Each structure stands twice: as C-alpha cells, then as structure tokens.
C-alpha cells in the first residue's frame, strides 16, 4: 500500500498547505470512503485540542469520480458544518437502499437459465441503452445535496474548488468539470485525451460521472457549446490526481476502493476448471476500470515529489513543478468476498438477473460476486464497508495525523479502539 512521503510534524504545518481530497469510483463500494472519513473526523476532533475547531473543514479542494463524485459533492454541500460533514456522509450511506439508486424489472424465471438471462437482458439493454434504470438516483441526489450550499461554501472560502470527472462517449475525451468561487480567475488546462471546463456542478454532472458503463445510461452535458453524451468518469482516467494538483493542492489524500490483487480473482474459474462466468468477466472488467490508473498515478506523484525535495533549493525554484505530498488509502480486505456474503440482500429482480448471469459468486469463488459489489446499496454490505474504512483509517492513524501536521502526542490522544 502506498505510503505518504515523510513531512514535518509541526502543528502549524497544516496552515501552510492546501489539502485536497480525491475520491475514486466504485458504485456501492464507495461507502468505504465514508468510513475512512468518519474515522478521520474523529481523529482530528480528538487530536489533543490541536485542530482549530469542529467547524473547520480540512479540505479546500474536493475531487470526485463516479460514485466518488457523489461523495465529493455531498461533502461540498455540508462543508460549512466542518468535521460533522464526515459523520453526515456516513449516515447518508447507512440510510441508502438500492431502490433509491436504480430499479430493474426481471421475471423470476430468469435465474433458472443463463442463456435466457443473457437474451432477456440483452433485449432490455437495447431498449433502455443500459442494464439498469437509475432515475431514482436523481431524486435521491436532489434530496441529499444542496447545490446552493456548495456555492455558499465556495463563496465564503470554506472550499476553493469542487471537481467532478466524466468520460465522453461522443468524443472519447475525459473531462473534468470544476466549480470555484465566483470571481476567481479560471484557467482551463488541456492534455491529450483529457480536458477541463469550469461550470457550476449540477445533478446532471453527478449522474454523468457515476454512469457505470453498460449498467447505467449515459447523460448529456454541454461542453464547448455543444452537447455530448457522458459516462462514468473512471473510464479513460489516466491521471486521477491531476485535477487536484492543477487546482493548487500541496497535499492530497486519495481514497480508492479497488484492489490490485483481488482475492478470489484467480478463482473466477471455479475449482472444477470451468470457464469464468459472464458475471465474473464483467466484474474483472469493472475492477480494471476503477483501479488500474490510480496506483500508478500515486506512485508517480510520490516519486516526483521525492525527487524535487532532494534537489538543491535554487534548482528546484527554477522548475515549473512543486512537490505534492500524497497519501493513499484503499481497502485492506477483499470487497468481492465481502459482497459475496451479502448478495442475498439484493432486490429480488436484481438478484434474479445477476444469478442468471452467474454473477453472485460462491465461497470457493468470491471473485464472481465482483459485479454485484458495485450494485449492493444495501444496509449489511454498506455497514461492513463503513466499518472496514474506519478500521483501515485507524490502522494508519499516526500516519494520517502526521499528514495533517500533528505529531505523535496528537496520535496518542486521538486513539480509538474497535
């Protein structure tokens, strides 16, 4: 697991840095991020009284992709509540249900035949242009996220920027949409295959960013004065840390929900040596979409910062680059295996469809439940994800507090046990 580059432990060190939070995508799996952040909020509030106050939100820049964009926007709309925003995010996830995100009408007999399931779902996809209908998510986001409160947080400088990533099916370009305080100079950046545009973030941007490929329908957005259709921001995301750095971050905390070595993946073909199921292959493809670029980008940023910190000051000052401290947190357990324990919580229609595709896994092959893990917006799985996020954060408590400029005494005072 990537480690943060060593930094000063001065308590006042955090005042000299701009902190960014980068939240990666992963459907229901991103409930894990709420657990990490709730633990972080507790650590900062108990750090020996060193944190300025409960109303101080620690991140000035929020960057989100896919379901991570929903988390980022939720935090932006509650940033004026300070550290309490993290607990509110965890509560939002704890109350979420699959029928508040999507719905699917599938006859019960579908689960009896994979061929019948494939034919039925292929016809459904041709009609709907997607596996699931995610219109319930629109209402959920309107109730949970206050767009005026995001604008207020930017206006009063609680936040500097909110950025949301989405991938254009129309042009193939990966776009980052950024909202900053009114009146602040805006400078677009453009790289091969990826561009940015400064717009007010809307529910449509969040729907576009979180439109899982094949699972949810595309969403139209306006860019360069014309309409393009967008899908999940994790697709073609070659540099997930780039928006935070361009927006001025000097320290970046990134929370992913992928796993480079997924437990049970090798068992996607079961112990009898059979070919992997369609669901297992889809899960593997989804894992590649949501994970592959993050680790490489984090490691590259850390190597670059380490090199810059080792250069003589007069030489470093002449370069167009500045060191950026990066800390990455990701699940310590297989989320595929966790999902396999909770597949029975799925709505019957979704359960029947995934069962027909062989996408519910088994104890011998938990990798087969990977696809289900992106759709399990249900209490049991969400609760376990939040708890895992909290445990993983507390396992790295000392490192997190050091990242925020607190020394070992604060780490001791902020200790909590599970």
């Amino acid at each position: 697991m990537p480690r943060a580059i060593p930094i000063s432990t001065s308590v006042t060190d955090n005042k000299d840095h701009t902190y960014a939070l980068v939240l990666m995508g992963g459907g229901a799996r991103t409930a894990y991020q709420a657990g990490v952040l709730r633990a972080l909020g507790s650590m900062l509030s108990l750090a020996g009284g060193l944190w300025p106050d409960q109303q101080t939100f620690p991140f000035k820049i929020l960057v989100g992709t896919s379901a991570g964009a929903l988390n980022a926007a939720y935090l932006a709309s509650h940033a004026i509540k300070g550290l309490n925003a993290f607990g509110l995010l965890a509560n939002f996830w704890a109350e979420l249900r699959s029928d508040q995100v999507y719905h699917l009408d599938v006859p019960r007999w579908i689960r009896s035949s994979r061929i019948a399931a494939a034919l039925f779902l292929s016809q459904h996809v041709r009609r709907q242009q997607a596996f699931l209908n995610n219109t319930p998510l629109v209402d959920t986001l309107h109730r949970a996220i206050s767009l005026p409160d995001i604008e207020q947080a930017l206006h009063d400088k609680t936040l500097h920027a909110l950025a949301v990533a989405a991938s254009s099916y129309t042009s193939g370009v990966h776009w980052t949409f950024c909202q900053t305080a009114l009146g602040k100079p805006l400078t677009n950046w453009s790289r091969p295959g990826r561009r940015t545009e400064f717009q007010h973030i809307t529910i449509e941007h969040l729907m576009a960013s979180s439109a899982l490929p094949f699972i949810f329908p595309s969403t139209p957005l306006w860019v360069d004065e014309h309409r393009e259709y967008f899908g999940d921001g994790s697709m073609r995301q070659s540099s997930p840390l780039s928006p935070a750095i361009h927006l001025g971050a000097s320290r970046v905390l990134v929370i992913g929900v992928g796993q480079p070595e997924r437990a049970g993946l090798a068992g996607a073909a079961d112990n009898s040596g059979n070919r992997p199921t369609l669901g297992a292959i889809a899960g593997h493809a989804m894992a590649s979409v949501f994970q592959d670029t993050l680790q490489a980008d984090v490691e590259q940023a850390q190597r670059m910062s380490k090199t810059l910190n080792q250069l003589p000051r007069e030489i470093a000052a002449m370069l167009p680059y500045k060191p950026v401290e990066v800390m990455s947190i990701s699940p310590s357990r297989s989320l595929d295996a966790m999902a396999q324990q909770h597949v029975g919580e799925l709505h019957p229609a979704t359960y029947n469809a995934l069962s027909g595709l062989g996408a519910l896994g088994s104890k011998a092959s938990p990798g087969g439940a990977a696809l289900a893990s992106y759709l399990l917006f249900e209490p049991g799985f969400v609760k376990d994800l939040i708890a895992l996020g909290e445990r993983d954060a507390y396992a790295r408590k000392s490192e997190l507090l050091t990242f925020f400029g607190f020394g070992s005494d604060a780490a001791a005072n902020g200790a909590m046990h599970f």
Side-chain angles (χ1 to χ4, degrees):
M1 184 178 295
R3 309 290 291 179
I5 299 171
I7 57 177
S8 168
T9 57
S10 167
V11 172
T12 59
D13 195 45
N14 52 28
K15 297 179 181 179
D16 302 323
H17 290 276
T18 299
Y19 286 87
L21 176 64
V22 175
L23 299 174
M24 303 300 292
R29 299 157 74 109
T30 52
Y32 171 85
Q33 297 168 348
V36 172
L37 292 169
R38 184 162 72 179
L40 174 63
S42 295
M43 291 179 207
L44 294 178
S45 66
L46 296 172
L50 299 176
W51 190 251
D53 60 72
Q54 293 289 318
Q55 299 304 312
T56 301
F57 192 71
F59 300 102
K60 291 296 185 181
I61 298 166
L62 295 172
V63 179
T65 299
S66 188
L70 310 187
N71 284 344
Y74 184 96
L75 290 173
S77 70
H78 292 82
I80 56 177
K81 300 171 185 174
L83 298 179
N84 291 328
F86 300 138
L88 292 172
L89 178 63
N91 293 341
F92 165 75
W93 274 98
E95 296 171 359
L96 196 62
R97 301 294 184 271
S98 292
D99 60 9
Q100 296 172 291
V101 180
Y102 61 83
H103 66 76
L104 173 67
D105 294 322
V106 176
R108 188 174 182 82
W109 55 265
I110 282 296
R111 61 183 296 187
S112 64
S113 169
R114 292 182 182 178
I115 295 177
L119 289 174
F120 179 89
L121 292 173
S122 66
Q123 293 173 355
H124 177 82
V125 169
R126 281 199 296 270
R127 290 194 304 270
Q128 304 292 330
Q129 302 301 310
F131 176 47
L132 297 172
N133 184 334
N134 63 345
T135 53
L137 181 59
V138 176
D139 292 334
T140 299
L141 294 179
H142 274 295
R143 290 194 301 269
I145 297 173
S146 169
L147 300 180
D149 284 348
I150 294 177
E151 188 169 347
Q152 181 61 42
L154 292 166
H155 180 74
D156 66 16
K157 299 183 180 180
T158 299
L159 296 177
H160 291 170
L162 169 65
V164 170
S167 182
S168 173
Y169 289 121
T170 305
S171 64
V173 174
H174 185 273
W175 286 83
T176 299
F177 299 97
C178 303
Q179 181 176 349
T180 60
L182 295 177
K184 183 176 181 179
L186 306 179
T187 303
N188 292 347
W189 65 88
S190 178
R191 299 291 185 272
R194 52 191 174 95
R195 295 181 59 186
T196 184
E197 185 159 307
F198 286 84
Q199 301 181 358
H200 276 69
I201 301 301
T202 66
I203 299 302
E204 286 73 23
H205 288 91
L206 303 181
M207 295 297 293
S209 181
S210 60
L212 296 168
F214 303 108
I215 305 297
F216 295 147
S218 60
T219 299
L221 295 174
W222 285 84
V223 291
D224 286 345
E225 299 183 350
H226 69 278
R227 186 175 67 176
E228 296 188 9
Y229 284 88
F230 285 82
D232 199 286
S234 296
M235 296 185 292
R236 297 196 172 190
Q237 188 176 38
S238 59
S239 185
L241 300 184
S242 177
I245 295 171
H246 276 289
L247 289 167
S250 57
R251 290 186 179 172
V252 180
L253 175 64
V254 53
I255 309 176
V257 295
Q259 297 156 275
E261 298 179 7
R262 293 167 50 227
L265 182 59
D270 64 28
N271 292 336
S272 65
N274 294 332
R275 292 179 182 273
T277 64
L278 179 60
I281 294 172
H284 180 49
M286 295 285 277
S288 299
V289 167
F290 286 111
Q291 177 62 29
D292 285 354
T293 60
L294 174 59
Q295 296 298 90
D297 202 32
V298 168
E299 291 169 7
Q300 180 180 13
Q302 290 177 329
R303 286 195 301 269
M304 177 68 75
S305 294
K306 185 176 181 180
T307 299
L308 290 171
N309 284 328
Q310 291 174 342
L311 291 175
R313 290 186 177 181
E314 58 273 15
I315 295 178
M318 298 173 61
L319 298 175
Y321 307 105
K322 300 298 179 183
V324 178
E325 314 294 348
V326 181
M327 181 175 179
S328 175
I329 296 181
S330 57
S332 60
R333 286 186 55 197
S334 166
L335 302 191
D336 298 351
M338 288 176 59
Q340 201 279 322
Q341 297 172 1
H342 294 282
V343 291
E345 298 177 26
L346 284 166
H347 186 278
T350 308
Y351 184 94
N352 292 339
L354 294 181
S355 178
L357 293 174
L360 297 184
S362 66
K363 291 183 179 180
S365 180
L371 180 58
S373 72
Y374 296 93
L375 303 176
L376 260 168
F377 297 89
E378 299 296 347
F381 187 50
V382 167
K383 180 180 178 181
D384 281 357
L385 286 170
I386 292 175
L388 177 63
E390 289 184 303
R391 287 195 298 270
D392 287 351
Y394 277 107
R396 302 178 68 184
K397 170 174 56 66
S398 179
E399 187 179 353
L400 275 166
L401 288 176
T402 300
F403 184 74
F404 281 93
F406 302 125
S408 57
D409 290 342
N413 291 336
M416 293 188 71
H417 303 283
F418 290 85

